[in-house]
Structure formats: C-alpha cells, structure tokens
Amino acid sequence: MRLIYMMTLVLLMTACQSAEEQESHSHEEGEEHSHEEGAAPALNFTIWTGQTELFVEFPALVVGQPSRFAAHFTVLDRHQPVREGSVTVNLIKGGKGIRSTADAPSSPGIFTPTLQPKEAGEYLLVFDLKTPSYTDRIEVGNVQVFATVEDAVQGVSVAAENANAISFLKEQAWKMDFQTAPVVEKEILEIIPTSGIWKVAPSDYQTLIAPASGSVSFAKGMLTEGSPVRKGQVLMTVSGAGLTTENLTTEIQKAKAEFEQAQSEYLRKKELFEAKITPKSEFEKVEQRYLIAKANYETLNSGFTGSGKQIVSPIDGYIKSIQALNGQFVTQGTALFSVTSHKSSLLEVKVSPSYFAQLQQLQDIFYQTSPNNWSSLKAKGGKILSVGKEVEADQPLLSVFAEINEGVEMPEGSFTEAQLAVGTPTSRPAIPVAALLEDYGQYAVIVQLSGEIFERRNIQIGKKNGSEVEVLTGLKPCEVVVTKGAYQVKMASMSGQAPAHGHAH
C-alpha cells in the first residue's frame, strides 16, 4: 500500500507552526488506499482560523491537469458545516494567478472547486469563504505545481505512519454535539477552593413602608414572595376607612381645606404686594404658609383613591419579602414588603483565616452562574468589594464580597462552588476542563492532528482556574483538543475498523 502525504498546517489567531503528519485516507467504502499508476499523489491540509476550520484534500498540482479540491469547511462555533455560501480557491504567484469558484457546497460543508495550473513553480494557495453570516480568508501556504506527474511523485515527501491515529470523519462530527478548542498560553494563578453564597446587592432592592395608618388590602389575592412585579404596578392599598383616629380620608380633607384657605390668602396678598400696599415681609409669611399647605396636601393625596392609599412597585423585578398580612392594621412607617430588581448579584465567599496572607494578593474569583458553568470575575467586569480582616467566635471564617456583573440563574441564598485566585500569575498552556478524560487518576485528551485524524494522548495537569486547567506535560500551544465528543472519538479507536466516508473525491 502506497503511503499518501499529508500536511497539517495550524493557523490560529496567534502564529503557530505547521505540523506534518501522514494519514491513510479512503473516501468510499471498500476503496483500496492507493492511487492509480500515473496519478498524482494526494495532499491534504488542515487550517484553523478564529472562525473556521478548513480540511482540504486534492491531488498534487500538475501542469495541464485538473485538480479537484474537496474542501471541508466547519464553523468553529458549535462545530457545524458551512451549509450556504461560496468558496473561491486562488493559486497566486507574483501578484497573478488563477482561481476557481464553487457557488454552493456539493454537500453540507463540502465545496469542490477545480484548478488546472498552466506553469510549474511555487504558488500561494488561498481560499476565500463567503457565507450569509461572515467571510473568511484562509491561506494554506506555499504549494508546488509540478511539470509532470513523475515530478510530483518524486517531489512529495512521505511521512511515517502514526500507529496511534484515530480516524473520525467530518460527517460524523457534524452530526453530533462536537467541539474543539486550541491549547493556549494563559495566566495561571494559585487557587483556594471554597464556596460562596449568592445574595442580592443592597442597592438592588427597596423596602416599601406604609405612608399612613390603616388596614392593608392586597391588590391581588395571591401575592407571594418571588412574584414578578412591574414598575408602577399597584400591589397593596392602605385604607383608614372606619377609623375614628388617624383616618387618612379625614386627614386629606383637612389638608385640602387648609391648602385652599392658604391659597386664597396667598392670591389676595399677592395682588396687594404687587400694588405695593402690603409689605414684602408680610407677603413672604403668607407665601410660606401656602407652600407648606400645598406640599402637605399633595403628599397625602398622592396615590390616594376612594379605597385608600395605593402602594406601587418602584422597579421591575420580583417580591423579595412580605412583612404585612392581607387585612392587617399597620401604623404609618411600618415596612410592608421589599422588591428587588436582581440586575446584579452579590457573592459572599467564605474562607479559612489560614489563607489571610494569600488574600492580600487576591487577583480573581471563579464562580458558577449555573451548575457546571464557570465564570471569571475579572473577565466579566465584576469587582471585589471587600476582604474580611477579622473573625469572631460565632463567625470563624473570613468573608470576601464581590459584585457580579452578569446574570445569575442561582436563587438568592443558594451555595455555589468558588475558587479564589491568588498570588503572582504564571504563563502556562491551558485547555478547557471539559476536554479531560480520566481513567483511575490518569488524565488524557483527544488531540486533533488533522481534519479527520485524532490521537488519544496522556497529559499531566496542574491548577484548575474555573473552567480551564493548566497542562504541565503532553501538549503544546496551538495544538487542538476535543472538548465535546471526546468519548465518541475514543470509542471510534476501539471499533477495530475505519468508518466509511459519506463523500467521494
């Protein structure tokens, strides 16, 4: 069996070096893995950009012979095939060249343009992808156009076969929950594992009090803690009907009479003052009494209806607590209920006093906004509000308070896993925790060597920073690991046979 040359070029947003591998490849069930006598050897490349993965296979380029490209395009977000758009392949030398465009995929994710070179030499191979949602320009790098097929056979290097290679086709990955991520250099910090309690920031809730004495009447029968409310929504009414003292209706009528009397006197004195009959000092006293009477009446009358004084929600949110019962008599100033907007959250993290020295270099806090969903305080724009300095007999732990600048799905008062990141950061390779496979304390990952070739590799891990983990040995920056679907790739290595391909070249 003739070995087919394969080169994998890894291009991330940072400059990564290319890696050269060998791949046994057959794209039709039962097809023998060799090319016909007189045919150019096959090449394939895998390139990652910030948005796209390109895995392309094609015969080595020979003058006068058409080379049909099988270009597999994957949108890295959710790892889905490009289903709409066009692809143009360019062969460029000295600012000139040839191109070919495929206006649509021949099957989901696969475009098949064809190039027929006219002159031998070294060219730059470039793919231009245009989709309804984004565009991407992918440079494969320099490729050789050979004068004859014999030159191509002699000119293409043969790489050693990888005995640990796992074949897992693009069509398989596209049909399942699959995702990859690059190994990147990250700042890794020392971690204090602990837990925290979700709270509502004091600025995010308001307590409403009774503006007058009377009996409480709920606006709707089932007003409970956690009920959603809208700004301006009437929640309760306080009524003094039937009371002989502190009757709000009587107080409003009295305030109205005083206001109207003061207003009449004010208007009369104003005319006399303007006619220079009344002295200024006398007019100012009348004006002052008028303004006080007006403010008193408007305050009492605000929100008052025939049934009593209305209590409305000042914000959008939900009811945090209810202090009054329906039908209960309350005096003026009594707390009725509290509402919260819950737009931001407060996290209180408890930690042993033995970490007091490390807390002086607190750099970040990792927490979970929902189960198994880690976030970083620093990355999300939150801030550390305070770090406890002392403990007491009934409070033996130090408290660290942080303001969270994102939506939190956890209810107030619930616990969350938390990690306090302390010390001086060091730059180390890191991968998502989701990429790890564990067997009896030994960790491994599935590394993507090319578009359809993977490898199971043992690694040693270090500190976990939220959803990411430090890699001590086994991986290098710019390599790509599987973060979703690693188990399925592992199972493919145990099946004992290579899967059949769903597309022909």
Side-chain angles (χ1 to χ4, degrees), residues 61 91-96 119-125 141-146:
L61 301 172
L91 203 57
I92 305 169
K93 181 180 181 182
K96 298 180 181 180
E119 296 181 5
E122 190 174 71
Y123 290 79
L124 177 64
L125 183 61
N142 292 327
V143 296
Q144 186 71 32
V145 173
F146 298 95

Side-chain angles (χ1 to χ4, degrees), residues 83-113:
R83 302 180 186 277
E84 296 181 77
S86 64
V87 167
T88 299
V89 56
N90 306 272
L91 203 57
I92 305 169
K93 181 180 181 182
K96 298 180 181 180
I98 59 175
R99 67 178 58 182
S100 175
T101 299
D103 294 323
S106 56
S107 60
I110 303 175
F111 295 78
T112 55

Side-chain angles (χ1 to χ4, degrees), residues 167-387:
S167 178
F168 197 77
L169 309 184
K170 303 307 298 182
E171 292 89 342
Q172 291 176 281
W174 288 338
K175 292 177 181 179
M176 57 180 283
D177 190 11
F178 196 84
Q179 189 66 63
T180 60
V183 182
V184 295
E185 287 276 351
K186 299 277 290 188
E187 287 190 346
I188 302 297
L189 290 150
E190 292 289 339
I191 289 298
I192 302 174
T194 181
S195 63
I197 302 173
W198 288 113
K199 296 186 174 182
V200 174
S203 59
D204 284 347
Y205 66 84
Q206 297 185 32
T207 298
L208 280 296
I209 62 174
S213 298
S215 61
V216 175
S217 176
F218 288 4
K220 59 178 183 179
M222 296 298 291
L223 191 63
T224 60
E225 294 182 4
S227 297
V229 295
R230 302 183 308 276
K231 183 177 180 179
Q233 179 182 348
V234 178
L235 301 178
M236 298 178 181
T237 300
V238 177
S239 174
L243 299 178
T244 56
T245 59
E246 298 185 9
N247 189 309
L248 183 58
T249 303
T250 303
E251 292 293 326
I252 292 176
Q253 290 175 349
K254 181 180 177 181
K256 181 179 180 183
E258 291 177 352
F259 164 63
E260 290 176 347
Q261 182 180 4
Q263 184 181 44
S264 177
E265 185 178 3
Y266 166 72
L267 294 175
R268 182 171 58 83
K269 288 292 185 180
K270 184 179 180 181
E271 292 179 359
L272 295 174
F273 172 70
E274 291 174 349
K276 300 183 186 292
I277 299 175
T278 298
K280 183 178 181 181
S281 60
E282 185 178 342
F283 170 71
E284 288 177 343
K285 290 180 182 179
V286 173
E287 183 181 35
Q288 186 178 21
R289 287 197 299 271
Y290 161 70
L291 293 175
I292 293 173
K294 179 182 179 183
N296 184 44
Y297 171 66
E298 289 178 346
T299 300
L300 289 173
N301 196 50
S302 176
F304 181 79
T305 64
S307 58
K309 191 83 167 181
Q310 292 182 331
I311 312 299
V312 301
S313 173
I315 56 175
D316 291 329
Y318 66 89
I319 294 179
K320 174 178 167 60
S321 61
I322 302 175
Q323 287 81 24
L325 299 176
N326 194 21
Q328 178 184 353
F329 174 81
V330 295
T331 58
Q332 184 176 357
T334 301
L336 300 176
F337 64 94
S338 298
V339 293
T340 176
S341 64
H342 213 38
K343 290 182 179 178
S344 63
S345 298
L346 189 68
L347 179 63
E348 180 184 7
V349 179
K350 297 286 190 177
V351 62
S352 169
S354 62
Y355 294 109
F356 180 78
Q358 291 96 313
L359 291 179
Q360 306 315 303
Q361 288 187 298
L362 181 58
Q363 305 290 342
D364 200 356
I365 299 177
F366 299 103
Y367 54 88
Q368 293 187 356
T369 56
S370 60
N372 300 318
N373 182 26
W374 285 93
S375 282
S376 161
L377 183 72
K378 186 176 180 181
K380 295 297 184 179
K383 60 182 179 180
I384 298 169
L385 299 177
S386 64
V387 179

Side-chain angles (χ1 to χ4, degrees), residues 390-454:
E390 59 184 36
V391 295
E392 298 178 0
D394 58 342
Q395 295 290 340
L397 300 177
L398 292 173
S399 290
V400 178
F401 288 92
E403 181 181 348
I404 308 302
N405 190 31
E406 63 176 315
V408 176
E409 298 178 11
M410 307 294 284
E412 182 186 0
S414 62
F415 284 84
T416 177
E417 288 187 58
Q419 298 175 353
L420 300 180
V422 297
T424 303
T426 57
S427 183
R428 298 286 299 172
I431 60 173
V433 174
L436 296 177
L437 297 172
E438 183 180 6
D439 286 323
Y440 301 103
Q442 174 64 53
Y443 290 97
V445 293
I446 300 297
V447 182
Q448 185 176 6
L449 302 177
S450 73
E452 297 180 332
I453 293 296
F454 298 79

